Structures are given as structure tokens and as C-alpha cells.
Amino acid sequence: MSEKQISFGRIFWPSLLAVFIMSIIGIFLFILVLGGIIGSFGEFGPKPLAVRNNSVLHVTLDGEIKERADISIDPMNFELNNTLGLSDLLYGFEAAQKDSKIKGIFLEIGDLNCGYATAKEIRNKIKEFQKSGKFVVAYNAGELISQKEYYLTSVAKENYAFPSSAMEFLGLGTELTFFKGALDKLGVEVQVIRGSNNDFKSAVEPFFRDKMSDSSKVQINRYLSSMWEDLRTDMAKSTSISIDTLHTIAEQMKIKRAEDGLKLSLFKGVKYRDEVMQILAKKVGLDDPEDLKLLDFEKYTRKKFNQNQLLTKNDKPNIAVILAEGEVSTDGDELSSRDICKLFRDARKNKSVKTIVFRINSPGGSALASEEIWREVYLTNKVKKVIVSMGDVAASGGYYIAAPATAIFAEPTTITGSIGVFGMIPYTGKMFEDKLGITFDRASTNSHSVMSTNRKLTKEEMAMIQSEVDSTYAQFLTRVSDGRKMTREQVNVIARGRVWTGLDAKEIGLVDRIGGLGDAIAHAARLSEIKDPKVLYYPLKKDDKFIELLEELNEGDENSKFIRSNAKLPNELLEQYEHLKRISSMSRIQMRMPFDVVIH
């Protein structure tokens, strides 16, 4: 008897349906169990933060630091992914300074991921903490101690390193990537349109050049030199090593390992972690390091900050801080005009709010979105003073949205300016024809009805787009000249797409004062005659019991570990899960940084 062959479809589709049904049942059961957990959690509430006497705050800076904290759920293991927020961090240092139960800080650095301006703000808070008489012990324990990590820890009066750690201390530099050669081989030509005198707007150079232009080199060398001088000045004050000596150390590559740093007096010592624990124990009067009461800083600052914000929201806040980070777009997950404009309207309508601090960390982006945000800042500043605080970068569109503010603060190492406009239109017709044998033909009622990337723009079309770009640049000049009380000619001299550091920007009038977020808030309070500042951060913190539950489950006792390990979605469903990140596409005219900056 012959065997009858069973088709793939008869096996696959019933199996897929069974998996789907079981997944739905699994999710339903999971929600029932989780609902019960959340219900009991809501009844008893989250555990209050317990701070014992003689506690040492354990500050671990490892990973990315953004303007505001972000907590998301990893669906693969149902654990929390925490991104530290600068606002939370700064508040945590202030709270710890006033907390009589906190005797000092143990600062441990991992793979720090932030800009130098952010590092400087954290550094300044640690410096203030030490001035209160409390101790700070820093420990560089990674395989590689980066220059940025050392810059931050150098503020500690006691700065130690792991004995065998490699160390980088080479000054500042950046490397740009150019695509012209690859585009030539593909047969793709990029048609570039910049503001007529925007010779410093070098964002488009990688697409039609194979190296930096002279103007691009001038601005890059200038802002690197300015930043390097500021960093050396800070480190010199903390270590008593002259800025010239620090430059020589970098120039001659005198440091390769932590031991080299010790010989040159950059560290107080190189020690293993148990030796550092012994130092900490002695500082709080203990003989046994096992008796040390290390309190997790991330947990401490998050709970303190969240509690403060929930109380402030219901206690007539008088200062609003609007946090804006990422590329400017009309819609998306970063700095979208949709979200930021709404936050300004909300803060403007809040009758108890007297003044607003606008914190910007953005390389720019969409010209349209920048104009939308500019309008809300302009309208708000007419009724409530807006003070801008610039983070690591507030350039191009990031500067555009700052222009109408009453005052602008920046750190010395902030990258700002880049007042210019550009557009790019690729011509792909030759590539399709030569590489793939694909050709195109068109029919239209008018000469310019079909403006496609598969045909080159005519002279008339290029002139039309150039006119639009120039018009946008002229509007940019007007926005800055009106906001900064300068003539358009004065702005044009310092604009042209050129990037400036915060320190240089102050000298030429694009920035009013050097300082961080705290300085901007203090200035806003003085201008509005606020004696008791009550600061509310936007977007508002939400009391999320689900997130609080997962935080409790992630804190590590055996029961919570058991619950966490079993509170997972069905594997069949997880296999189908894809985390899609929405990327904002560049469209029409752009106000962006002239390049992506990665400073080593």
C-alpha cells in the first residue's frame, strides 16, 4: 500500500492556529495573574525608601545619560531597562547633600556614554557635594579608563583606579566619513543646495567631497581647541597639574595604563576594589567593609525625584522646565514639534507657573518643525519669561528654537550655532540604467510636473530650490537677529552654518551666560522674583504602578526573582515579537548640524 503524502499546508496552518490560540490563552492567564499582583501592590503600596544612618551613596555611572530618565520593559526577560536622566541625577546629588543620613559618595565609573557638557554638569554637582564637607571617593574600574571618564572622576578629592586598567589620555579628536567615492562607483550624484554663503554648513560635504573643506577644518579645529582648553582647566584645578603639563602628557602619549596616571599624579592610588571598600569603611568609622551601608544612587535619586515631582505638581509649581532632546521633527519619538508645542501650551496655561526653562539638547532637523516650536517659544516668552539651557549640543534647528528666549545659558563645551540651511536631492537615474538596466520615461502636462530623483534637475529647478533654501536662511537670520537684538548683518557674519562652542558663542553674542541647568533655573527664579522655587519638569512624571511593581520585582529578593522568572510572555509569541524603532526621515529643507560629532 503506498503512503499518501501530506501537504505542507495541512500541517503548517493548523499548527500556526494552535500556537496563536495558546499564545492568546497564555496572555490572558498572564494578565489575570499580573492583575492580581498589581491589585495587591496597589493595596499595600510601594516600599518607602529606607535610608539608614551613616549610609554611603553608591553612584554607578554606566551607560547612556539622557536629559530625562527612560524606563522601558525588555519583553524577552520582562525586566526593566533604565536610562539615567540628567535631571534626576542632578536632583539626587542635591538631595544627598542635604540628607544627614548620607555621609559620602562612592563614585564608580563604567562605560560612560554622554557628551562633555553633560559630564561637566555632573562634575559640578559632585564638586558642590564635596564643598558641604561630605566625602567623595571615585573609582575607575573598567578595562579602559576613557578621557571623559577620567575628566568626570578627577573632581573627586580621592580618585582611585584599578591597577591593570588601560587608560586613554590623548586630547580631543574626531573623524568624519566621506561617501563620494562610493557614490561615484554606484553612479549616484547628490545635488546639493546650501544657503548661498553657508560655506561652513558642511553636513553635505561627505556626499560631494572626499575630504574636509578649509572652512570645515577651521571650525572643527577651533571648537576642539576651545573644548580641550576648558577640560584641561577643570582638571588642573582639581589635580594641581598645570594645563600645559596636561597637554604635554596627551601630546607625548605618556599614559597607557592606570599606573602611568599614578606616576603623573592623576590618581591618588591604584587599588583593588576590596582596598577601596576598606577606605570607605574607615571613613564612616567601621573596621569591617562588610558592615558598609551602600545605598544605590539610581534607586535613591529616582524615588526622591519622582516623589518631589508628584508633590510639586499638586503644590502650585512656579517654574516649569521643558526637556527637549534629539533630532527636531514634526512627529516622532525624539524632539517633535507635536509634543514640545503641547508642553509649552500646557506650561503657558498653568497659572501658577511664572517662568519657564527650556532645556535643549539637539543637533537640529526639520526646518518646518523648528519654526513650529519657535512660534510656541515666542508666544510663551511674551507672557512668561523663557530661559534656555543648552546641553551637549543645541545647534542649527536646536539654536533656532532657542532664539526667541529672554536669556540663553550654555556650558563652555556645548556645541551651538550652525545657523544655516541645506537640502540634498540624489540623482539615481544613471545608477539604475548602468547597474541594473532600468530606464525611465515620463509624460506630463507641464515642464516640471515630474521632479524625480531619476532625472537631474534643470537649471531652472535648481534655481527655484536654491531660492527656497535662501529664503529659509534669510528667515533664520531674522529669527536670530530679533531674538538676540542684533542686526541681520551682524548675525550673518557669525552664521553661515558655522559651529561654535558655548564659550565662543558667549563672546560673539549667541549665548548670554555660561552655566548649566541649575544656573538657568536660578536665573529664571531671580528674573521672576521667585523666593521659593517649586520646579516642575515637563513631560510630567506619571505615577505608574505597573512600572513601580517591576522595579520592586527587579530589586532582588528570592521571592521576587521567582515571580520575575515566571512572569514572562509565551515563548511562541516572543519569537514573533520585533521591536521596531521609528526613524524620522529627512524631508524638504533641513536645519541640522553640519556633521555628526563623535569626540574621542
Side-chain angles (χ1 to χ4, degrees):
M1 186 173 77
S2 62
E3 293 184 3
K4 185 176 181 180
Q5 186 176 6
I6 300 174
S7 68
F8 172 77
R10 291 183 65 184
I11 296 175
F12 176 76
W13 293 112
S15 299
L16 180 63
L17 180 61
V19 168
F20 178 75
I21 293 172
M22 290 304 295
S23 297
I24 296 297
I25 294 172
I27 293 172
F28 179 70
L29 292 174
F30 172 77
I31 290 173
L32 286 177
V33 173
L34 188 62
I37 296 173
I38 292 176
S40 63
F41 179 75
E43 180 181 349
F44 296 105
K47 297 177 182 177
L49 182 65
V51 181
R52 296 181 292 177
N53 289 325
N54 288 328
S55 289
V56 176
L57 207 54
H58 186 196
V59 180
T60 305
L61 297 181
D62 186 12
E64 187 177 16
I65 299 174
K66 305 185 78 172
E67 288 300 323
R68 61 189 176 99
D70 180 44
I71 302 179
S72 59
I73 302 170
D74 185 346
M76 300 305 294
N77 55 23
F78 218 67
E79 291 184 350
L80 292 178
N81 293 325
N82 289 332
T83 301
L84 290 173
L86 180 63
S87 305
D88 305 55
L89 284 173
L90 300 182
Y91 183 83
F93 284 118
E94 291 176 5
Q97 185 175 333
K98 300 171 185 176
D99 194 333
S100 60
K101 293 182 178 180
I102 303 294
K103 296 304 177 184
I105 284 176
F106 174 37
L107 174 62
E108 199 164 12
I109 298 291
D111 184 15
L112 184 66
N113 181 9
C114 66
Y116 273 105
T118 295
K120 188 181 183 75
E121 291 220 43
I122 298 171
R123 195 179 190 278
N124 287 340
K125 280 297 178 185
I126 295 172
K127 188 177 180 180
E128 287 179 21
F129 182 88
Q130 287 182 134
K131 286 181 179 179
S132 69
K134 299 184 178 184
F135 68 83
V136 175
V137 173
Y139 189 47
N140 300 266
E143 291 186 21
L144 172 66
I145 303 169
S146 73
Q147 187 170 266
K148 187 181 297 176
E149 290 161 2
Y150 175 76
Y151 167 71
L152 198 156
T153 60
S154 66
V155 72
K157 292 180 180 178
E158 294 187 48
N159 190 17
Y160 300 98
F162 188 78
S164 62
S165 289
M167 185 170 176
E168 176 187 88
F169 197 89
L170 301 169
L172 299 180
T174 187
E175 182 179 74
L176 306 183
T177 303
F178 292 82
F179 308 105
K180 182 180 182 299
L183 294 174
D184 287 346
K185 289 182 179 181
L186 292 171
V188 176
E189 179 184 340
V190 178
Q191 301 163 102
V192 173
I193 308 97
R194 292 187 282 188
S196 293
N197 71 340
N198 287 192
D199 47 321
F200 286 99
K201 199 71 174 177
S202 53
V204 292
E205 288 187 355
F207 301 97
F208 70 90
R209 294 181 61 92
D210 55 14
K211 60 182 179 180
M212 287 184 280
S213 64
D214 291 341
S215 57
S216 181
K217 282 186 178 180
V218 165
Q219 69 176 344
I220 290 176
N221 285 330
R222 174 54 200 160
Y223 80 67
L224 287 177
S225 298
S226 177
M227 291 175 67
W228 180 228
E229 184 174 358
D230 183 72
L231 299 180
R232 284 183 294 137
T233 299
D234 284 346
M235 289 186 286
K237 290 177 181 178
S238 299
T239 62
S240 299
I241 303 172
S242 71
I243 59 174
D244 292 335
T245 300
L246 289 169
H247 184 73
T248 301
I249 289 172
E251 184 67 21
Q252 298 180 4
M253 295 189 298
K254 289 188 175 183
I255 296 178
K256 301 174 185 65
R257 307 194 71 78
E259 291 95 333
D260 301 326
L262 176 62
K263 292 174 184 177
L264 293 166
S265 301
L266 269 67
F267 296 109
K268 186 171 183 178
V270 289
K271 296 185 180 295
Y272 292 100
R273 198 174 190 275
D274 62 286
E275 295 176 301
V276 177
M277 293 298 102
Q278 188 65 55
I279 292 171
L280 290 169
K282 287 182 178 180
K283 286 187 173 295
V284 292
L286 298 173
D287 295 325
D288 188 354
E290 293 295 325
D291 295 329
L292 262 176
K293 300 166 185 176
L294 290 181
L295 177 60
D296 180 65
F297 177 72
E298 185 176 339
K299 176 182 174 183
Y300 177 87
T301 188
R302 184 172 62 247
K303 291 205 172 185
K304 288 282 187 180
F305 185 66
N306 288 355
Q307 183 182 33
N308 169 269
Q309 287 301 287
L310 291 173
L311 292 173
T312 301
K313 185 169 66 172
N314 299 316
D315 190 29
K316 295 184 178 180
N318 46 34
I319 299 176
V321 176
I322 295 177
L323 303 175
E325 180 174 26
E327 293 195 357
V328 180
S329 61
T330 54
D331 196 2
D333 296 330
E334 295 190 345
L335 203 168
S336 72
S337 57
R338 177 199 63 188
D339 295 334
I340 297 300
C341 290
K342 182 180 184 303
L343 294 180
F344 266 97
R345 288 192 293 269
D346 290 346
R348 200 162 63 231
K349 293 174 184 176
N350 191 329
K351 294 181 180 179
S352 69
V353 170
K354 305 302 179 187
T355 183
I356 295 169
V357 174
F358 188 21
R359 173 71 173 187
I360 302 172
N361 197 345
S362 171
S366 163
L368 172 63
S370 298
E371 175 70 4
E372 288 178 332
I373 297 171
W374 173 90
R375 176 66 177 174
E376 289 300 328
V377 178
Y378 171 77
L379 291 174
T380 303
N381 197 54
K382 292 177 72 174
V383 294
K384 299 179 181 182
K385 288 183 174 62
V386 177
I387 310 299
V388 163
S389 170
M390 294 180 168
D392 294 320
V393 56
S396 202
Y399 189 85
Y400 192 101
I401 62 180
T406 294
I408 298 176
F409 280 68
E411 292 286 9
T413 53
T414 295
I415 296 174
T416 189
S418 191
I419 300 167
V421 184
F422 73 88
M424 292 192 303
I425 303 172
Y427 165 53
T428 56
K430 185 178 179 183
M431 177 193 71
F432 279 115
E433 184 173 353
D434 294 348
K435 307 299 181 184
L436 301 175
I438 298 174
T439 58
F440 302 88
D441 200 0
R442 301 163 192 87
S444 61
T445 59
N446 297 84
S447 301
H448 310 292
S449 297
V450 183
M451 292 182 67
S452 165
T453 61
N454 297 313
R455 74 168 177 83
K456 293 192 72 170
L457 296 174
T458 66
K459 290 183 179 180
E460 293 81 6
E461 290 164 347
M462 283 289 287
M464 182 270 292
I465 297 172
Q466 181 69 60
S467 175
E468 187 178 356
V469 168
D470 287 340
S471 176
T472 303
Y473 178 59
Q475 179 174 278
F476 202 159
L477 294 178
T478 299
R479 297 295 184 232
V480 176
S481 64
D482 290 346
R484 304 305 301 162
K485 304 299 186 289
M486 303 165 70
T487 66
R488 277 175 46 121
E489 290 72 23
Q490 287 174 319
V491 176
N492 190 40
V493 170
I494 57 178
R496 299 162 55 198
R498 179 162 181 172
V499 170
W500 304 91
T501 63
L503 202 60
D504 287 342
K506 182 179 181 299
E507 293 298 317
I508 60 175
L510 292 179
V511 165
D512 294 294
R513 300 194 181 195
I514 297 299
L517 179 58
D519 299 304
I521 292 173
H523 183 71
R526 285 193 299 270
L527 284 183
S528 298
E529 299 180 344
I530 297 172
K531 295 180 180 179
D532 180 22
K534 296 176 183 177
V535 183
L536 186 63
Y537 287 79
Y538 288 75
L540 299 176
K541 289 280 185 181
K542 295 181 180 179
D543 186 9
D544 193 326
K545 292 190 183 303
F546 182 68
I547 291 295
E548 287 182 6
L549 167 66
L550 291 179
E551 287 177 349
E552 293 295 325
L553 296 181
N554 274 274
E555 283 175 9
D557 60 68
E558 291 304 316
N559 290 331
S560 65
K561 286 180 182 177
F562 174 80
I563 295 171
R564 187 169 71 245
S565 65
N566 288 279
K568 294 183 180 180
L569 296 175
N571 290 331
E572 293 85 357
L573 187 62
L574 290 175
E575 289 173 0
Q576 306 300 320
Y577 178 85
E578 290 184 7
H579 182 61
L580 301 177
K581 182 178 179 181
R582 189 174 181 179
I583 301 174
S584 300
S585 59
M586 290 172 57
S587 62
R588 296 187 63 78
I589 299 173
Q590 299 291 305
M591 295 178 176
R592 292 178 182 264
M593 275 279 290
F595 32 71
D596 292 326
V597 180
V598 180
I599 299 174
H600 304 284

